[in-house]
Amino acid sequence: MSTTTRAAKAHPAQAMRTGSKPKRHYGTHIFLTIMAIMWLVPLGWSLFTAMRPVASTNEHGYFSLAGAFNFDNFIQAWNQGGFSTYFLNSIIITVPAVLLTLFFASMMAFAVSRVSWKFNVTLLIMFTAGNLLPPQVLAAPLFEMAKHFEVPYSISDSGNMLNTYIIVIAVNTAFQMGFCTFVLSNYMKALSADLTEAALVDGAGIWRQYKDIIMPLCRPAFAALGTLQVIFIYNDYFWPLLFIQSGNRLPITTAINNLQGQFLNNYNLLAAGAIITVIPTLVIYLLLQRHFVAGLTLGSSKG
């Protein structure tokens, strides 16, 4: 008698369940649908408001479909808010900050996950604990440090680090490194130790192991972290507003301030400016969605 036949006779109920239809998770689907609607409704409402002229809104109200729909608010917001200049500033800040964060975090993660030494766990805890500290607590000390850090006037027109892209890039890199180090170190720990041991036997040094063996295997994790870091740093409003006083160097998140009136706000225009601000991060996420999901799920079955 075969093993399958014996199992069927011993557990008839289990055998019947084997041929049954898979269980449907209706509760999970309902929960995810509700959450998706809650996330999409504000974005959809902003887009709906942005495409309506303020005259139509004043005449028919915000909760109506009457009136014209066009892209005039987007054109006016782009010109009035100076989005072209602010968007370039965001690129200057975001791209170096993301690259530096991933580079330094990858080296730190390699040191605490692939190299056996005395302080690897201690350093990992310190990097992770840094994310638990609210950034606003360090605002005053960092501002004073930037104010008294003298640099040549060829770099800064104020003679210090204030009103420069460098200080914003450095602070964003420092604050994002802890999270990236934690994620990358866990990912690297899931990789087989035989890879680096074989490379060590062949005479590969630490730098060769890091650059030629571990880094190529971490591309999914880099894609996921890179997507998150672009969104985090691009959307950051606090640090640029703290360190940069010159209006022509502020990032795109501050451009919406130019759309506010002194006595009356045009909320249709503000909605159009908010949608323009969101578009770059939305495009980046859609382009890297496959890599982002792969980076989050890869390693879940390792063990």
Side-chain angles (χ1 to χ4, degrees):
M1 183 180 295
S2 63
T3 305
T4 306
T5 306
R6 288 197 301 267
K9 289 185 176 181
H11 304 282
Q14 182 179 357
M16 292 177 62
R17 287 197 301 268
T18 304
S20 61
K21 295 182 179 180
K23 184 179 179 181
R24 296 184 181 275
H25 302 278
Y26 292 106
T28 303
H29 294 162
I30 294 173
F31 172 77
L32 293 177
T33 302
I34 294 174
M35 294 301 296
I37 293 174
M38 291 177 61
W39 279 97
L40 291 175
V41 163
L43 182 61
W45 184 255
S46 299
L47 181 61
F48 173 76
T49 304
M51 295 187 66
R52 299 188 69 192
V54 66
S56 298
T57 302
N58 293 336
E59 181 180 357
H60 303 285
Y62 282 97
F63 300 96
S64 68
L65 298 176
F69 289 86
N70 52 51
F71 294 94
D72 291 345
N73 286 324
F74 292 95
I75 299 174
Q76 182 181 351
W78 181 270
N79 296 328
Q80 181 178 332
F83 277 88
S84 57
T85 301
Y86 290 107
F87 180 66
L88 180 61
N89 294 338
S90 291
I91 294 177
I92 295 174
I93 293 173
T94 303
V95 173
V98 172
L99 294 178
L100 289 173
T101 300
L102 295 180
F103 176 66
F104 291 132
S106 65
M107 290 197 297
M108 189 63 211
F110 180 83
V112 300
S113 63
R114 309 297 297 187
V115 181
S116 298
W117 57 306
K118 189 175 182 180
F119 299 103
N120 52 359
V121 177
T122 304
L123 283 176
L124 181 60
I125 294 175
M126 290 176 60
F127 270 79
T128 307
N131 285 350
L132 304 179
L133 191 65
Q136 292 78 6
V137 174
L138 299 178
L142 287 175
F143 182 85
E144 291 298 321
M145 289 175 60
K147 182 179 178 181
H148 294 91
F149 193 93
E150 298 182 359
V151 295
Y153 282 96
S154 58
I155 299 177
S156 172
D157 51 9
S158 61
N160 53 44
M161 294 297 292
L162 293 178
N163 204 33
T164 64
Y165 299 121
I166 299 175
I167 183 62
V168 181
I169 294 172
V171 170
N172 274 310
T173 301
F175 272 91
Q176 298 297 332
M177 269 188 62
F179 171 71
C180 293
T181 300
F182 176 76
V183 174
L184 286 174
S185 63
N186 287 331
Y187 187 87
M188 291 181 185
K189 288 178 181 178
L191 300 176
S192 175
D194 297 337
L195 297 171
T196 50
E197 291 177 358
L200 185 62
V201 171
D202 292 338
I206 293 294
W207 178 255
R208 183 78 178 275
Q209 297 175 29
Y210 163 81
K211 181 173 66 72
D212 295 335
I213 298 176
I214 300 300
M215 287 302 97
L217 297 176
C218 292
R219 288 175 182 172
F222 281 132
L225 283 175
T227 306
L228 288 175
Q229 291 305 307
V230 167
I231 295 174
F232 291 160
I233 298 175
Y234 175 88
N235 289 330
D236 180 51
Y237 181 81
F238 179 73
W239 294 121
L241 202 63
L242 176 67
F243 293 117
I244 298 179
Q245 288 82 38
S246 177
N248 59 351
R249 296 182 183 177
L250 289 169
I252 197 171
T253 49
T254 62
I256 300 180
N257 292 332
N258 298 334
L259 304 178
Q260 295 183 354
Q262 184 177 1
F263 302 105
L264 184 65
N265 286 328
N266 184 346
Y267 293 105
N268 301 64
L269 194 64
L270 290 173
I275 294 297
I276 293 175
T277 305
V278 168
I279 288 175
T281 54
L282 186 62
V283 170
I284 290 174
Y285 175 77
L286 292 176
L287 291 176
L288 298 178
Q289 181 182 13
R290 180 170 60 88
H291 303 285
F292 178 74
V293 175
L296 293 179
T297 56
L298 236 165
S300 59
S301 59
K302 295 179 183 290

